Amino acid sequence: MRVTITEYLGLDLSEERWKCNRCGADLGSAQEPYKKGCLIRDRDPHDVHFPIGPNKGYNFAFDPEWVRIVEFYCPGCGTMLENEYLPPGHPLTWDIEVDLQQLKNKHLREDLS
Amino acid sequence: MGRLFDEKARLFEGLVYDGNAFGKGPAWDPSLLKEGPAPLTELEREGIDRLSDVDLELMRHKLTSIVEEARDVYMSLSISEGIITGDMNCSIFTASGDPAVVATGIYFHSLLNYTQVKYINKYYRNDHTVGLKDGDIYFFNDELGGGVHTFDMFVAMPIFYEGELIAWAEVGGHQGDSGSVSPGGFSPKATSRYEEGLHICQMRIGENDEIRRDIFEFMCGSVRNPFVFGSDLKARVATCIRIRQRFLREVERRGVATTVGGLRKILTSTEQMARDRLRELNDGVYRAVLFNDDVGREPGLTRIPTTVFKEGDEMTVLVQSVSPENFAGSMHSTWHLVRASLGVYLFSYFFRGLPPNAGLLEPLRVLVEGPSIANSSAEVAHGEGTSISACVAQNLHVVGSKILFDSPYREAVSSPHSRNLLLYIFAGENRRGYQTANFTGTANAAGQGARYDLDGESALGFYWGPFTDSGEVEDIDSRLPQLVLGRVVEKNNHGYGKTRGGAPLVEISTAFGDRGCMMTSRGSADKLSHNPGVFGGYWGPPNPRFVIRNTNVMQLMAEGDDLKFANQYELLTERPLEGEYLISSSSGETQKFDEGDIFVWSLGGGGGYGDVLERDPEEVLLDLQSGLITQEVADKVYGLVLDPETRETDAEGTEKRRGEMRAERLRAGKTFDEFTKYWSKQKPKEEILKYYGHWPEPRLEEYDKPFWGQYR
């Protein structure tokens, strides 16, 4: 049984694995961060937020020495499932650890009702 | 605390979590700050037993209408910029001091103005040198007593009926100057609380409905804007008296036990509604992290992570491995400020539709590591503590969207409202001839975060208060020593996504008159941002301070030029004004500005929602045509292709271009192992990490895991 957890993340309750909501690609064990199943790229924030003005350090864009954009892509379809704006080298965020047992109980109840 | 918490959380030994990192002081008692609602009184119990559910709804409606009327009264009587535009609060508390009904522009005020009343009840009421009687007027503004910062000032008055204390009326808000080292209150360079002006935990300033003249003159003489301060203080007293009159009329109509019982039941029923909603949501552990780029005295990276344990009908918010306190500025929050700040998100989004009172926070346990920048000690400056507590609230918003998506409350899923704080505080003599020191309502027109089904609204409101307003320009001109030249919605200044964040209002003004004005700026998010996107949406960008010195704007106006420059993007790219263009950190010293010097000011745009390559091409074209984005953003970020002749969207060309962009992602993306091998070798420069603590986990040396927060 597949349930929708976020905009792009599905979860197969019987397999206990993350799935891409767009293409169905497998994103790894639901006991682990789905980010382990993604393709990951860190980008210069100026690729997205274009600086304006004469000042290198303050220009209405993120300072690449302070922040990088880390993008997480579905390996199947290339959809950007999530991103993080992190100082270079900062550990990633395990953002969602669902309680699988509670989730299974909840959906089992819904099925029975 | 719950199974998930027990399995996953670790609290570092020797630190304070559940309460403030400061102890009892001469007029404050942090143990009162973490107390929940007081036990039921006999009178409350008697009243609750008489109330049916229908009675309770009628009572809730009636009491809410009393405080909403009070809000209108207070805003009409006040001459302070913050109050006029809604940075304020009116409440009725139970006799024990628990806030039961609230009308506000700023939700967190509702949770930061009642501990002082509990202190009066506990320590002053039965003290023969103070006591408590009908007609007493109490004032408070000290953050250690349970407030925000000294610039937010409140008045509370007890409500007696037939000689018995039955409730409290409370009114207050952001009044402004407190006699601190910088005009207008905020002092980014302050390093101790003793540089932040008048601190009054709670003091009786009047009796029999009258403010004592000696105390009134002492207080007015302690600030730079005595006329505004005194006028606003009287407005608060007048509004409290109105609340008391209306409340006592209800007591006469319904009976004292019923009214008092209703007040109490409003609180307890709200808690039950919050618990019922929590039970519908997925259990789990959720995390988000934000960083700040300034400590006040200088730039410096600090870290504010948040872990949420959602279990059954409870949630634990854990703020752990935060950067240490630094004594290098006023960006230091308190535990009670973090807790109250969460109400801003919870009341507006997570628990939307439920009554906004302290009952909503009862299912929450808030654990904030201290001493740290998020839960700091007594001596540091706290004036900009909201810059830190807001990061926890933003983290909770991101987490909340992940909790709510798979629930009946998906309509509340969104990116957070813009919180990139930049305030310009103007000081000097206004056109009416009195001294003034405050910011304008422009702060109340930042961009909303993108929603799961809609774009964020542009120029929506203030981060802390959905009901605030940006004010009338002509009124602002008359009350402050500056002249507003224009207000426009900004370009390329929101988060891009499947749905986009709302853009901010930008105000362009100049110092007014021969004497000009002083201006202090405060804020952060100059090199990074506090406006996250969700589900792949890009973030709202930084917004540093931008002024232009020695321009020819006055000459242009004298010549009849209608100043067609539109926004800060065009000011910077087209340079329509002569002058010195200066972009710098938001944390500025107080400086003199003259007529013709230009201030450009906004509070930033909300983050985006979802992948930019899923945005409807027609919506991208609309953004382009309405000036919200440039052609470069449409091309390079959204992959929009236009027909070169008609300038309409080329659907086929756009799909092809977006396919190429997705293929580029697949080509450039690394596997998790490849990425972490490369990423773990990266690190910011040492000068950036001066105030951070241990890298990358401030509380742990040599942390080497690929994900943060894995302490076990």
Side-chain angles (χ1 to χ4, degrees), chain B residues 396-468:
Chain B
L396 184 65
H397 195 140
V398 169
V399 159
S401 286
K402 293 175 182 178
I403 296 175
L404 291 174
F405 195 91
D406 180 31
S407 84
Y409 307 102
R410 190 178 290 179
E411 80 278 0
V413 171
S414 61
S415 297
H417 190 92
S418 172
R419 166 58 206 179
N420 279 359
L421 194 74
L422 169 63
L423 284 182
Y424 292 167
I425 299 116
F426 305 100
E429 187 176 300
N430 68 9
R431 289 165 187 68
R432 297 170 190 245
Y434 59 80
Q435 294 296 316
T436 185
N438 220 325
F439 49 77
T440 77
T442 293
N444 302 340
Q448 185 190 27
R451 295 164 282 184
Y452 107 95
D453 54 351
L454 289 167
D455 291 335
E457 293 288 342
S458 295
L460 178 73
F462 189 31
Y463 172 76
W464 296 111
F467 308 120
T468 51

Side-chain angles (χ1 to χ4, degrees), chain B residues 534-602:
Chain B
V534 293
F535 307 139
Y538 287 119
W539 293 28
N543 43 289
R545 164 176 148 150
F546 176 21
V547 299
I548 315 173
R549 291 274 194 182
N550 304 314
T551 75
N552 57 339
V553 71
M554 303 310 290
Q555 180 190 339
L556 290 174
M557 283 199 290
E559 291 168 356
D561 190 306
D562 57 0
L563 303 177
K564 280 190 178 170
F565 57 84
N567 51 36
Q568 66 187 10
Y569 180 87
E570 283 155 17
L571 276 172
L572 279 164
T573 53
E574 297 172 16
R575 303 289 185 102
L577 296 175
E578 295 172 6
E580 190 181 1
Y581 286 63
L582 301 167
I583 308 174
S584 60
S585 161
S586 301
S587 294
E589 303 275 5
T590 304
Q591 294 174 335
K592 172 81 164 36
F593 287 84
D594 297 315
E595 201 168 58
D597 292 337
I598 294 281
F599 311 106
V600 186
W601 178 26
S602 92

